[in-house]
């Protein structure tokens, strides 16, 4: 299965394992809760989906790689205690708490998060001395005498032996205690993740054209050559920083992330071409509805690969606009909740500024605790930081005015809120205009019902930011072409059915 399907399977399993009966006991007892074993090639996104699951279920996450653990570090160190049996004293070996289990308790103590996932990566690469203890752990969730805290679900992962020389083959007894999920690379699924992470559009448009280059591991005379999903993601981050600092993105840089010389060279050539398209087409003008006739004519005459790159630039621009609205929308909602609390607090006998400071501290604490617990998404973190910046600006303003009454402070805060809400409405209207202009340009440059328009609709649907924006603020052109696309897809299905019937009739003849 692909990584998206695996994510849903694991998410469902965790939800099921955390289900309790009317007496507060787990419906599936801990010893019967099979740990999930996620088997997949390196860099496919196994760790990334664990972070997403923790964020979506709002539970904790503790991650460990088992490759560096010895028996002592995993089980704990031995020490001698005195015990009395039948009136006689004996020296007995005990063990300190496992570093792994102790880290879960640390998260519970520090954050108050009582449920979560203990994710153990590369579990089939454990040392020879630790291997015998793994069977007990997988069934009873204990290392030595210490158990994984109740409410924490064990999920494990590993690579197939062909990718890792350190892999130890599990026996049937071990496999029979695991819930195994095999995962394969899938570009279309990864692309959804890529949009959410703002992956550089040169990468997504290149891979739209050359999907086979998304994930490849080969053995050559020079050794292993490979390209992974992780490599593309990390390269994207570096390209964005290089462009920001106006540094050249060279083939030498690219091959450091795409460790397959042929693919690295191919992408380097494409990246240069992509930058030329970026300069030539002036996407900002397209989104503003100011593209001149020469740009429309060039798009109309362009080959499909060039059109695909142009669409990638347009979609990237639209996602950026809708992402900004999404974040501001979230921050305004947070700010409104803060103002409700501040309004109530202002009746107390304290400095008016104190309540605003308290809300800033609350938001900072949420970031710290959620991040430590492993359940803070990038979007949530950005929205909270944006809210903190709003509150800080408000605090600075009322401090500057000085000597305001409680009523005066709230009026100042409310005026600032109304101003920000109006700015959000203006940004949303501008983003809506950008969407309409993008569709109008494509309608003018390409035929109605063309593949290019269908691609534009599909890409906007895949993006969480664009889909959220359209769902909330609407876009007449999107709904029109989406309807066309649904009709087009149904038409293809009908044609396929007709072809199938004709083939059967020919066979009968």
């Amino acid at each position: 299965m692909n990584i998206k399907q695996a994510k849903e399977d694991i998410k469902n399993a965790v939800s099921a394992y955390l289900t309790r009966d009317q007496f507060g006991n787990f419906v599936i007892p801990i010893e019967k809760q099979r740990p999930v074993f996620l088997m997949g090639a390196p860099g496919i996104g196994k760790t990334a989906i664990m972070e997403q699951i923790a964020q979506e279920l709002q539970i904790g996450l503790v991650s460990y790689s088992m490759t560096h653990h010895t028996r002592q570090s995993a089980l704990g160190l031995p020490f001698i205690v005195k015990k009395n049996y039948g009136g006689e004293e004996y020296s007995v070996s005990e063990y300190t708490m496992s570093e792994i289990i102790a880290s879960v308790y640390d998260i519970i103590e520090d954050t108050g998060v009582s449920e979560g996932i203990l994710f153990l990566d590369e579990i089939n690469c454990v040392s020879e001395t630790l291997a015998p203890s793994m069977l007990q752990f997988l069934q009873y969730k204990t290392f030595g005498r210490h158990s994984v805290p109740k409410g924490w679900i064990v999920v494990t992962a590993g690579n197939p032996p062909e990718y890792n020389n350190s892999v130890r083959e599990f026996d049937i007894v071990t496999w029979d205690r695991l819930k195994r999920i095999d995962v394969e690379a899938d570009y279309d699924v990864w692309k959804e993740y890529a949009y959410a992470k703002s992956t550089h559009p040169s990468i997504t448009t290149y891979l739209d054209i050359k999907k086979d280059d998304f994930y490849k591991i080969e053995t050559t005379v020079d050794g292993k050559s490979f390209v992974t999903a992780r490599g593309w993601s990390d390269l994207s981050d570096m390209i964005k920083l290089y462009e920001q600092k106006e540094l050249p993105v060279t083939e030498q840089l690219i091959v450091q992330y795409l460790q397959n010389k042929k693919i690295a060279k191919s992408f380097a050539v494409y990246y240069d071409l992509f930058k030329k398209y970026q300069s030539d087409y002036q996407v900002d003008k397209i989104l503003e509805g100011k593209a001149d006739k020469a740009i429309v004519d060039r798009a109309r005459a362009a080959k499909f690969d060039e059109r695909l790159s142009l669409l990638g630039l347009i979609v990237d621009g639209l996602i950026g606009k809708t992402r900004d609205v999404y974040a501001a929308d979230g921050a305004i909602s947070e700010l409104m909740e803060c103002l409700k609390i501040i309004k109530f607090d202002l009746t107390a006998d304290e400095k008016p500024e104190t309540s605003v400071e308290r809300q800033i501290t609350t938001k900072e604490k949420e970031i710290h605790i959620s991040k430590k617990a492993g359940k803070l998404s990038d979007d949530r973190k950005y929205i909270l930081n944006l809210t903190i910046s709003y509150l800080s600006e408000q605090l600075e303003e009322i401090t500057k005015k000085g000597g305001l009454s409680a009523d005066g402070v709230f009026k100042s805060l409310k005026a600032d809120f109304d101003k920000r809400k109006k700015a959000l409405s203006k940004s949303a209207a501008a983003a809506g205009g950008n969407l309409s202009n993008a569709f109008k340009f494509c309608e003018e440059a390409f035929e109605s019902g063309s593949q290019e328009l269908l691609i534009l609709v599909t890409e906007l649907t895949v993006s969480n930011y664009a889909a959220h924006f359209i769902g909330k603020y609407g876009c007449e052109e999107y709904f029109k072409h989406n309807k066309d696309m649904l009709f087009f897809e149904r038409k293809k299905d009908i044609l396929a059915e007709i072809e199938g019937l004709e083939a059967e009739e020919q066979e009968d003849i």
Side-chain angles (χ1 to χ4, degrees):
M1 67 175 65
N2 62 49
I3 200 74
K4 185 177 181 181
Q5 293 167 329
K7 174 186 166 183
E8 288 305 307
D9 265 16
I10 297 170
K11 191 175 174 181
N12 292 340
V14 170
S15 297
Y17 286 161
L18 290 175
T19 304
R20 298 174 186 258
D21 62 21
Q22 58 184 322
F23 306 110
N25 300 314
F26 292 111
V27 174
I28 300 178
I30 291 172
E31 64 274 11
K32 293 290 186 181
Q33 294 181 2
R34 289 192 176 202
V36 174
F37 184 93
L38 196 58
M39 176 73 88
I44 204 171
K46 298 186 290 292
T47 303
I49 64 166
M50 299 315 304
E51 294 170 352
Q52 292 168 26
I53 291 168
Q55 290 159 11
E56 290 171 19
L57 294 179
Q58 280 298 285
I59 58 177
L61 175 66
V62 173
S63 299
Y64 265 92
S65 173
M66 296 302 294
T67 50
H68 71 281
H69 276 288
T70 63
R71 187 174 186 277
Q72 287 74 24
S73 63
L75 298 182
L77 296 172
F79 64 95
I80 305 298
V81 297
K82 299 290 185 180
K83 289 195 174 183
N84 193 289
Y85 297 119
E88 292 189 36
E89 189 177 78
Y90 295 89
S91 295
V92 180
S93 294
E94 290 278 8
Y95 285 86
T96 58
M97 183 177 283
S98 160
E99 173 193 330
I100 296 170
I101 293 178
S103 65
V104 179
Y105 279 105
D106 286 340
I107 290 294
I108 295 172
E109 289 295 316
D110 293 343
T111 67
V113 175
S114 59
E115 295 181 336
I117 296 169
L118 173 57
F119 178 56
L120 303 180
D121 199 6
E122 298 179 289
I123 199 171
N124 54 348
C125 296
V126 295
S127 65
E128 189 174 349
T129 57
L130 182 56
S133 302
M134 289 310 301
L135 184 59
Q136 178 189 11
F137 173 76
L138 293 172
Q139 181 163 2
Y140 297 105
K141 322 303 181 293
T142 61
F143 275 132
R145 292 173 58 87
H146 303 285
S147 303
V148 174
K150 291 180 180 179
W152 282 74
I153 309 304
V154 177
V155 179
T156 65
N159 304 136
E162 60 266 31
Y163 298 114
N164 193 328
N165 294 331
S166 303
V167 166
R168 300 174 60 83
E169 191 64 43
F170 286 163
D171 54 30
I172 292 175
V173 175
T174 305
W175 281 126
D176 197 35
R177 282 163 172 78
L178 293 168
K179 175 181 163 64
R180 176 170 171 166
I181 299 175
D182 290 282
V183 189
E184 295 179 353
D186 186 317
Y187 168 64
D188 291 326
V189 169
W190 178 81
K191 189 173 179 180
E192 293 181 36
Y193 167 82
Y195 276 150
K197 300 294 285 186
S198 305
T199 298
H200 197 279
S202 66
I203 289 176
T204 50
T205 52
Y206 172 81
L207 292 174
D208 282 338
I209 299 166
K210 298 191 175 184
K211 290 186 179 182
D212 288 345
D213 287 354
F214 168 59
Y215 197 99
K216 187 170 290 188
I217 297 179
E218 299 175 327
T219 302
T220 66
V221 291
D222 298 320
K224 294 272 188 186
S225 72
F226 58 91
V227 177
T228 68
R230 183 190 294 123
W232 287 112
S233 294
D234 292 347
L235 175 60
S236 168
D237 292 340
M238 191 57 75
I239 288 176
K240 286 188 287 185
L241 283 172
Y242 267 49
E243 288 182 349
Q244 182 181 322
K245 293 181 175 294
E246 298 183 353
L247 298 171
V249 176
T250 63
E251 186 179 337
Q252 287 73 24
L253 172 70
I254 293 167
V255 80
Q256 293 165 20
Y257 293 89
L258 311 180
Q259 297 184 46
N260 177 303
K261 291 181 180 178
K262 184 178 177 183
I263 293 175
K265 186 175 185 63
S266 175
F267 176 71
V269 171
Y270 176 81
Y271 176 80
D272 290 340
L273 190 61
F274 180 87
K275 293 299 289 182
K276 185 176 186 303
Y277 293 153
Q278 194 173 40
S279 172
D280 291 353
Y281 278 106
Q282 303 171 39
V283 172
D284 285 346
K285 286 189 176 180
I286 292 174
L287 299 185
E288 290 169 7
K290 298 176 180 177
D292 58 38
K293 187 175 182 300
I295 291 177
V296 175
D297 290 342
R298 174 169 176 175
R300 187 181 294 124
K303 293 181 179 178
F304 183 66
D305 285 5
E306 183 174 331
R307 291 183 178 189
L308 207 56
S309 298
L310 172 58
L311 286 168
L313 286 164
I314 291 172
V315 169
D316 183 64
L318 293 173
I319 290 175
K321 304 286 186 185
T322 54
R323 185 192 303 113
D324 290 343
V325 174
Y326 176 87
D329 222 338
I332 287 292
S333 296
E334 289 287 322
L335 190 59
M336 183 172 67
E337 293 304 313
C338 290
L339 289 184
K340 288 178 183 177
I341 297 170
I342 290 169
K343 184 178 182 181
F344 178 80
D345 286 350
L346 285 174
T347 60
D349 187 19
E350 62 180 8
K351 287 177 61 179
E353 294 89 342
T354 304
S355 183
V356 181
E357 290 169 350
R358 190 182 299 119
Q359 289 305 305
I360 292 172
T361 302
T362 299
K363 298 304 173 188
E364 289 173 341
K365 188 176 179 181
E366 181 180 341
I367 291 174
H368 174 73
I369 289 176
S370 297
K371 185 177 180 180
K372 192 163 188 177
K375 61 176 187 175
L376 182 66
S377 69
D378 290 341
D379 282 337
R380 181 64 181 162
K381 182 181 176 182
Y382 186 72
I383 287 171
L384 287 172
N385 277 319
L386 201 55
T387 307
I388 290 168
S389 73
Y390 289 171
L391 288 166
S392 298
E393 288 170 15
Q394 289 180 334
L395 179 61
E396 185 180 348
E397 184 64 25
I398 60 176
T399 303
K400 191 187 297 181
K401 290 177 179 177
L404 291 175
S405 64
D407 187 54
V409 167
F410 188 75
K411 283 182 179 178
S412 177
L413 295 175
K414 181 68 168 60
D416 178 80
F417 175 80
D418 291 340
K419 184 177 71 176
R420 293 183 190 280
K421 197 171 179 184
K422 190 177 289 186
L424 171 60
S425 297
K426 190 174 179 181
S427 296
N434 296 148
L435 275 165
S436 296
N437 291 332
F439 276 104
K440 289 172 184 175
F441 173 83
C442 290
E443 287 168 353
E444 189 176 355
F446 314 120
E447 294 178 6
S448 179
S450 66
Q451 190 173 356
E452 288 78 13
L453 277 161
L454 297 180
I455 289 171
L456 179 59
V457 170
T458 303
E459 302 298 81
L460 293 175
T461 305
V462 167
S463 165
N464 288 335
Y465 304 113
H468 176 272
F469 180 92
I470 292 167
K472 183 168 183 176
Y473 297 99
C475 176
E476 186 179 333
E477 293 83 2
Y478 169 86
F479 290 118
K480 173 185 177 296
H481 290 289
N482 191 29
K483 185 178 178 182
D484 291 345
M485 184 176 78
L486 292 172
F487 175 76
F488 175 75
E489 292 298 327
R490 180 60 187 143
K491 184 178 177 182
K492 284 202 304 184
D493 292 340
I494 293 169
L495 289 172
E497 289 174 12
I498 292 171
E499 288 173 1
L501 289 171
E502 288 176 348
E504 288 177 7
E505 288 174 359
Q506 289 173 6
E507 287 178 3
D508 292 337
I509 294 170

